[in-house]
């Protein structure tokens, strides 16, 4: 039978022979407060209970008082509720009913949480001086809420979804909302309080012990497990989340939190907004569970720091409404069948270890923050697994929307590149991209920098340095990146920033010079000459694909350097650039990691640069066989990142009188031999085998000889393509450096070298030529290449020369082909869906049955092109040249177009051949209208 809350209070009054009934007022709240104070200071007695029950209608009457009285007192409302229940049992000689227990303890647990949460914000003005007449009515409605055993159990299972939570929050909001505290933050506080009440309710139920077991048998173990999970979540938040925002930055003069400023992002439609505000809106908007939040940004744009700062903000201001779980995706070694299994298999989150229901507990909502999804470990870092992971996350988010017991949210950060190589992205991704720091953000950052105690009386006026006439203009552009702004500010403060050291005309070189100077600045702080050690450590880190370099691999790479080996063996690695893990009991767990991935990649580029310099020496200090091994040693592990290539080019461009032609010829000779299988097919021990053994000795088992061979060759191709792009900017070099990845064409014959390489690359598990090299193909010379049915979707082929190439059935969907040359190319049945073909040269190309739907063909040259049977629906032909183009033929039929096909400003349509009648009428109609 259902009983209202008033019935419980009335029953308690009867047991203490109290018969008066009063209406809730501030005076009745004083009775509750005084009872709590007396019990805490003197202990309970009969007179206390009589006064409490006589002068109040419930424990919630205390909320009629000014809230500061409740918040500022060191009281335990939970103890008050427990003592009241015990006193009733002793006085009446009978146990309360389950609904009586829950009626009292839910109020006590709620008040305990009100005190805890509101006390976190002492600067807020909670107390509206005017007495609110609504309070009495709201309290009366609360007291009339009816409970029975079933509803009591439901309250235990999920208090925040109960009618009690709704009613209690209404009462609290009436007290909170004032001219000093608006409705939205007040509601947020109330929601957080309702969520947090569960942990105190569970604690009370455990303390009541056998009294509750009578009503709910075998529940103690379940509640103890629940309490343990809550405690472990608190420990995780305090030990893992709270500490990360306070971690020292690279030179350890301040923490990330000290210098962090909010970032701005732009959405797919170009709208700009504050990043934190965008995420908060996503997670705080009710019924907005479908979308996965995806934040892209360039290396050094502040993604990881945002994750640390924002996770800590959630911990401080929203837990347990939301509980942040911050996951560095380099910690994910293997992907399971679904996200939950992946998390359990890879992460040491103790609160899920003994609880199979941890993701379906309605009292816990997690915000999973996956940082660096493009940085999955070598075991999982291939496009198939990247695609698997993003689909797992999307499915998990959809499941959270459909399953009422879940309701978690997912936020992912990553570099800009990987999305471009993943087909069929899930529809429930909401993407934003981090914008470079604008002028106001830079000024705000510098204000925080200048205000740091460690920077007082030091050179912190970076603007003075930037305004110097000798300061390269490019530097002004580079400080839009947070990491480079920090480097410049730190070096300037320490008098380590010399303008003449940054003089260069190329932005890549200036970026490289800033990194070079910054690393030298940070190394100086360690007091050791460890540059060689760091470059070899960078090779080990990059090649391992993990966050840290293992000791075996470090020792292997530094075996001829006794000084470095002594540093490793004695565990003396102490410098701002790296964190050491040399104190582990197991050598396999020992190693070092760089404070920021860009350090490792830049130092890897530095190491590679040294070898490139050796390979260009006139005296040929490095023999051909030595160079071949060095190529496998440095490049036979995986694919170079775009950042490494840009760092490397910046470093080499900055070398005066660098012999580009000799370097190109030596790399081209290696490439030609590699294409012929010279290294993998050798009868003696092969270079790929030697490198493979070295990697396996360091604990890297994901590769085989063929994979090592493929990566070495493809990386040399990437370097040759980068060298050629640079050479095209210089009149002298571009005559001597012309790289043909598929071989130099002879007459009208096709070349098949690249096609064979692409087929060879297909033996890589989860990766292929397109995903590895596709982003590096801009400006490639592929004239006359046979690339039938090849997949180059999403590839960057801007300004590439594919004239007379045989490309039948190839896939160029979503590729960037701007200003590419397809003159006379065979493009039959090629898929150009949504590709960027702006300003391309397609004169004389055969596009029969090609799919150009949704493609951008603005200002394209289609003169004399064969378009028979081509799909032009939704294509943009603004300004295109159709002079002599063929619109249909007997074999393939007419072109297909629709209302979305844009013919605006197209030229030569009147001279096109076999234009379908319906389309010709449309052109004539539009001509008459104009």
């Amino acid at each position: 039978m259902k009983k209202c809350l008033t019935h419980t209070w009335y029953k308690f009054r009867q047991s203490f022979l109290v018969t008066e009934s009063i209406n809730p007022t501030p005076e009745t709240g004083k009775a509750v407060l005084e009872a709590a104070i007396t019990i805490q200071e003197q202990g309970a007695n009969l007179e206390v209970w009589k006064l409490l029950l006589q002068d109040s209608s419930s424990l919630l009457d205390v909320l009629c008082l000014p809230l500061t009285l409740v918040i500022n007192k060191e009281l335990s409302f939970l103890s008050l509720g427990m003592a009241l229940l015990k006193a009733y049992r002793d006085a009446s000689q009978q146990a309360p009913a389950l609904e009586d227990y829950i009626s009292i303890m839910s109020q006590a647990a709620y008040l305990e949480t009100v005190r805890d949460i509101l006390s976190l914000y002492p600067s807020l003005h909670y107390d509206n001086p005017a007495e609110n007449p609504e309070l009495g009515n709201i309290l009366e409605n609360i007291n009339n809420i009816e409970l029975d055993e079933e509803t009591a159990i439901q309250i235990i299972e999920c208090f925040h979804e109960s009618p009690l939570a709704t009613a209690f929050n209404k009462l609290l909001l009436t007290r909170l909302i004032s001219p000093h505290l608006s409705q939205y933050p007040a509601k947020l506080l109330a929601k957080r309080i309702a969520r947090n009440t569960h942990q105190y309710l569970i604690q009370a139920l455990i303390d009541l012990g056998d009294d509750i077991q009578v009503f709910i048998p075998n529940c103690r173990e379940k509640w103890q497990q629940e309490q343990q999970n809550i405690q472990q979540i608190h420990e995780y938040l305090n030990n893992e989340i709270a500490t990360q925002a306070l971690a020292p930055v690279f030179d350890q003069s301040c923490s990330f939190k000290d210098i962090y400023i909010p970032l701005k992002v732009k959405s797919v439609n170009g709208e700009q907004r504050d990043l934190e505000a965008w995420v908060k809106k996503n997670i705080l908007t009710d019924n907005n569970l479908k979308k996965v939040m995806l934040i892209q940004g360039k290396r050094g744009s502040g993604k990881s720091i945002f994750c640390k700062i924002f996770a800590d903000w959630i911990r401080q201001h929203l837990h347990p409404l939301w509980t942040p779980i911050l996951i560095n995706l380099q910690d994910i070694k293997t992907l399971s069948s679904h996200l939950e299994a992946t998390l359990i298999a890879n992460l040491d989150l103790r609160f899920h270890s003994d609880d199979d229901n941890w993701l379906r507990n309605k009292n816990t909502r997690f915000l999973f923050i996956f940082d660096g999804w493009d940085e999955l470990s070598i075991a999982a870092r291939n496009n198939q697994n990247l695609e698997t992971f993003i689909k797992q996350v999307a499915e998990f988010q959809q499941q959270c929307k459909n399953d009422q017991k879940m309701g978690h949210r997912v936020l992912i950060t990553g570099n800009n590149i990987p999305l471009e190589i993943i087909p069929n992205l899930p529809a429930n991704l909401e993407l934003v991209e981090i914008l470079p720091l604008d002028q106001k953000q830079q000024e705000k950052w510098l204000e925080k920098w200048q205000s740091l105690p460690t920077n007082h009386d030091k050179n912190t006026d970076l603007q003075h340095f930037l305004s110097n006439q000798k300061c390269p203009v490019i530097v002004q552009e580079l400080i839009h990146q947070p990491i480079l702004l920090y480097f410049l500010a730190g070096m300037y403060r320490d008098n380590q920033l010399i303008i003449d050291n940054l003089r260069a005309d190329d932005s890549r070189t200036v970026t490289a010079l800033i990194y070079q100077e910054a690393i030298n600045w940070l190394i100086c702080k360690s007091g050791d000459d460890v540059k060689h050690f760091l470059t070899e450590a960078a090779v080990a880190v990059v090649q391992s694909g993990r966050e840290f370099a293992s000791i075996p691999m470090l020792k292997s790479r530094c075996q001829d350097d006794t000084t470095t080996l002594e540093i490793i063996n004695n565990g003396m690695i102490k410098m701002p650039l790296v964190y050491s893990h040399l104190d582990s009991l197991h050598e396999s767990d020992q190693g070092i990691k760089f404070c920021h991935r860009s350090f490792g990649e830049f130092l890897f580029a530095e190491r590679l640069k040294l070898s490139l310099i050796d390979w260009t020496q006139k005296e040929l200090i490095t023999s051909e066989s030595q160079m071949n091994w060095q190529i496998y040693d440095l490049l036979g592990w995986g694919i170079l990142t775009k950042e490494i290539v840009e760092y490397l080019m910046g470093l080499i461009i900055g070398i005066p009188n660098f012999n580009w032609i000799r370097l190109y010829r030596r790399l081209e000779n290696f490439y030609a031999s590699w294409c012929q299988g010279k290294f993998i097919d050798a009868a003696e021990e092969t270079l790929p085998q030697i490198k493979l053994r070295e990697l396996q000795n360091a604990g890297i088992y994901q590769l085989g000889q063929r994979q090592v061979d493929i990566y070495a060759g493809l990386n040399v191709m990437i370097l040759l393509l980068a060298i050629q792009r640079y050479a095209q900017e210089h009149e002298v070099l571009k005559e001597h450096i012309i790289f043909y990845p598929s071989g130099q064409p002879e007459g009208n014959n096709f070349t098949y070298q690249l096609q064979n390489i692409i087929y060879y690359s297909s033996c890589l598990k989860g990766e292929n030529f397109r995903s590895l090299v596709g982003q590096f193909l801009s400006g490639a010379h592929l004239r006359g290449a046979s690339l039938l049915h090849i997949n180059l979707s999403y590839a960057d082929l801007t300004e590439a020369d594919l004239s007379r190439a045989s490309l039948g059935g190839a896939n160029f969907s979503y590729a960037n082909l701007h200003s590419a040359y397809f003159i006379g190319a065979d493009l039959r049945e090629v898929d150009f869906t949504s590709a960027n073909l702006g300003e391309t040269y397609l004169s004389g190309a055969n596009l029969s049955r090609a799919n150009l739907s949704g493609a951008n063909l603005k200002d394209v040259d289609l003169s004399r092109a064969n378009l028979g049977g081509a799909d032009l629906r939704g294509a943009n032909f603004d300004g295109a040249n159709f002079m002599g183009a063929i619109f249909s033929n007997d074999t393939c039929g007419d072109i297909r177009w629709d209302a979305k096909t844009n013919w605006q400003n197209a030229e030569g349509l009147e001279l096109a051949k076999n234009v379908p009648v319906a389309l010709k009428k449309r052109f004539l109609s539009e001509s008459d209208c104009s």
Side-chain angles (χ1 to χ4, degrees), residues 270-283:
E271 182 183 356
Q272 297 188 15
R273 60 188 78 180
D274 177 85
L275 174 56
E276 285 83 353
W278 176 75
V279 178
K280 289 174 187 177
K281 182 180 179 181
N282 265 287
I283 64 175

Side-chain angles (χ1 to χ4, degrees), residues 686-812:
T686 67
L687 296 178
Q689 188 177 25
I690 297 171
K691 181 60 181 178
L692 174 64
R693 188 178 299 115
E694 178 193 284
L695 293 171
Q696 290 186 346
N697 288 339
I700 302 170
Y701 300 102
Q702 294 82 17
L703 305 178
Q705 287 189 63
R706 287 178 303 168
Q707 286 80 12
V708 170
D709 186 56
I710 291 169
Y711 285 128
L714 293 184
N715 280 327
V716 169
M717 180 195 294
I718 289 169
L719 293 180
L720 287 166
L721 287 165
I723 291 169
Q724 178 193 261
R725 282 192 296 272
Y726 174 73
Q728 296 307 302
E729 303 170 11
H730 301 271
E731 290 299 323
V732 176
L733 291 179
K734 70 180 182 181
E735 295 181 7
H736 299 277
I737 297 178
I738 305 175
F739 173 52
Y740 295 94
S742 190
Q744 188 167 355
E746 297 180 2
N748 293 324
N749 296 324
F750 292 118
T751 60
Y752 296 90
Q753 183 171 274
L754 182 59
Q755 186 166 275
N756 293 335
I757 291 171
I758 293 172
Y759 291 151
Y760 182 35
S761 302
S762 65
C763 73
L764 295 171
K765 183 180 179 181
E767 294 180 318
N768 52 44
F769 179 84
R770 170 189 64 87
S771 64
L772 296 170
V773 186
Q775 60 182 315
F776 298 103
L777 291 172
S778 62
H781 287 284
L782 297 171
R783 177 186 293 266
S786 175
L787 297 171
L788 294 171
H789 302 288
I790 221 64
N791 183 3
L792 287 172
S793 58
Y794 294 88
D796 180 6
L797 285 150
T798 54
E799 299 184 356
D801 185 359
L802 291 134
S803 300
R804 294 194 301 100
S806 178
L807 301 166
N811 182 359
F812 288 102

Side-chain angles (χ1 to χ4, degrees), residues 212-278:
I212 295 294
Q213 292 277 338
V214 173
F215 302 103
I216 312 175
N218 306 318
C219 60
R220 180 179 297 172
E221 185 176 342
K222 174 184 176 183
W223 290 337
Q224 287 175 336
Q225 179 64 56
E226 182 89 355
Q227 187 181 51
Q228 183 180 346
N229 289 346
I230 292 170
Q231 180 59 34
Q232 288 174 343
I233 287 174
H234 280 302
E235 290 175 3
Y236 168 80
L237 295 177
N238 291 330
N239 298 334
E240 302 294 334
I241 300 299
T243 57
Q244 295 208 41
L246 299 175
V249 292
F250 313 125
D251 74 335
Q252 302 187 19
S253 62
C254 59
S255 71
F256 289 113
K257 193 171 185 178
D258 290 333
I259 56 174
Y260 176 76
I261 58 167
L263 301 173
K264 294 181 180 178
V265 293
K266 67 175 180 179
S267 58
V268 175
N269 62 12
E271 182 183 356
Q272 297 188 15
R273 60 188 78 180
D274 177 85
L275 174 56
E276 285 83 353
W278 176 75

Side-chain angles (χ1 to χ4, degrees), residues 5 8-9 12 59-60 76-86 97-113 147 155-156 159 164 168 197-208 212:
L5 271 61
T8 297
W9 206 253
F12 280 27
L59 297 183
L60 293 181
S76 173
F77 292 100
L78 213 58
S79 297
L80 174 63
M82 295 284 288
L84 177 58
L85 287 164
K86 184 177 183 300
L98 178 61
E99 50 269 33
D100 296 328
Y101 280 114
I102 300 307
S103 171
I104 299 299
M105 293 317 302
S106 62
Q107 295 178 57
Y110 187 83
L111 292 173
E112 196 85 0
T113 303
L147 301 180
I155 290 168
I156 293 171
F159 173 81
L164 285 186
F168 291 6
T197 298
H198 174 73
Q199 69 166 313
Y200 286 118
L201 194 54
I202 292 296
Q203 179 183 324
L205 293 170
I206 293 172
D207 291 343
L208 286 168
I212 295 294

Side-chain angles (χ1 to χ4, degrees), residues 489-761:
M491 289 187 288
Y492 183 68
R493 177 200 61 193
D494 293 347
N495 300 314
Q496 297 293 316
L497 188 58
I498 301 172
I499 286 181
D500 290 340
N501 290 353
L502 302 181
R503 300 292 291 274
D505 297 326
D506 192 290
S507 62
R508 291 168 295 184
T509 299
V510 176
T511 302
L513 290 173
I514 292 175
Y515 268 96
Q516 229 171 17
E517 293 298 310
I519 288 172
N520 291 335
W521 162 59
L522 293 172
I523 287 175
C524 287
K525 292 177 176 290
S526 68
D528 296 316
D529 183 13
V530 291
K531 189 68 173 285
H532 175 253
F533 163 74
L534 287 173
T535 54
E536 293 301 337
V539 174
V541 169
V542 170
Q543 292 193 358
S544 71
R546 292 175 290 186
E547 196 173 3
F548 68 93
S550 67
I551 289 298
M553 195 165 186
L554 276 172
K555 288 182 177 180
S556 173
R557 300 207 63 84
C558 302
Q559 57 187 336
D560 297 328
D561 187 338
T562 56
T563 303
T564 299
L565 286 175
E566 184 179 354
I567 292 173
I568 297 172
N569 291 330
N570 295 333
M572 298 186 301
I573 303 172
K574 294 181 180 179
M575 61 192 75
L577 273 172
V578 297
Y579 301 119
S580 64
H581 296 272
L582 302 180
D583 52 355
S584 175
L585 296 176
H586 303 286
E587 189 176 69
S588 60
D589 295 328
Q590 296 176 353
I592 70 164
K593 69 175 182 179
F594 288 93
C595 300
H596 195 276
R597 185 178 177 183
S598 61
F599 287 142
E601 292 188 329
F602 178 79
L603 285 164
F604 180 91
E606 279 260 39
R607 175 64 184 84
L608 190 53
K609 178 199 73 173
L610 297 176
S611 291
L612 297 186
I613 292 173
D614 284 347
W615 302 341
T616 63
Q617 299 305 304
K618 187 176 182 179
E619 294 80 8
L620 293 181
I621 297 173
T622 305
S623 67
E624 182 177 342
S625 60
Q626 287 176 316
M627 188 190 83
N628 293 341
W629 160 243
Q630 289 175 9
I631 287 174
Y632 276 95
D633 180 42
L634 292 171
L635 302 176
W637 51 271
I639 211 68
L640 291 169
T641 66
K642 202 165 188 176
E643 287 78 12
I644 290 176
V645 174
E646 288 181 357
Y647 291 145
L648 178 64
M649 293 303 294
L651 288 166
I652 300 176
I653 292 168
I655 300 174
N657 304 315
F658 184 78
N659 197 327
W660 290 95
I661 295 173
R662 183 174 288 126
L663 174 64
Y664 167 73
R665 287 175 178 168
R666 296 200 77 183
L667 288 174
E668 188 185 39
N669 287 338
F670 173 92
Y671 180 76
S673 298
W674 175 76
C675 289
Q676 296 165 15
K678 174 181 176 180
F679 306 109
I680 193 71
D681 292 336
E684 64 275 6
E685 185 178 44
T686 67
L687 296 178
Q689 188 177 25
I690 297 171
K691 181 60 181 178
L692 174 64
R693 188 178 299 115
E694 178 193 284
L695 293 171
Q696 290 186 346
N697 288 339
I700 302 170
Y701 300 102
Q702 294 82 17
L703 305 178
Q705 287 189 63
R706 287 178 303 168
Q707 286 80 12
V708 170
D709 186 56
I710 291 169
Y711 285 128
L714 293 184
N715 280 327
V716 169
M717 180 195 294
I718 289 169
L719 293 180
L720 287 166
L721 287 165
I723 291 169
Q724 178 193 261
R725 282 192 296 272
Y726 174 73
Q728 296 307 302
E729 303 170 11
H730 301 271
E731 290 299 323
V732 176
L733 291 179
K734 70 180 182 181
E735 295 181 7
H736 299 277
I737 297 178
I738 305 175
F739 173 52
Y740 295 94
S742 190
Q744 188 167 355
E746 297 180 2
N748 293 324
N749 296 324
F750 292 118
T751 60
Y752 296 90
Q753 183 171 274
L754 182 59
Q755 186 166 275
N756 293 335
I757 291 171
I758 293 172
Y759 291 151
Y760 182 35
S761 302

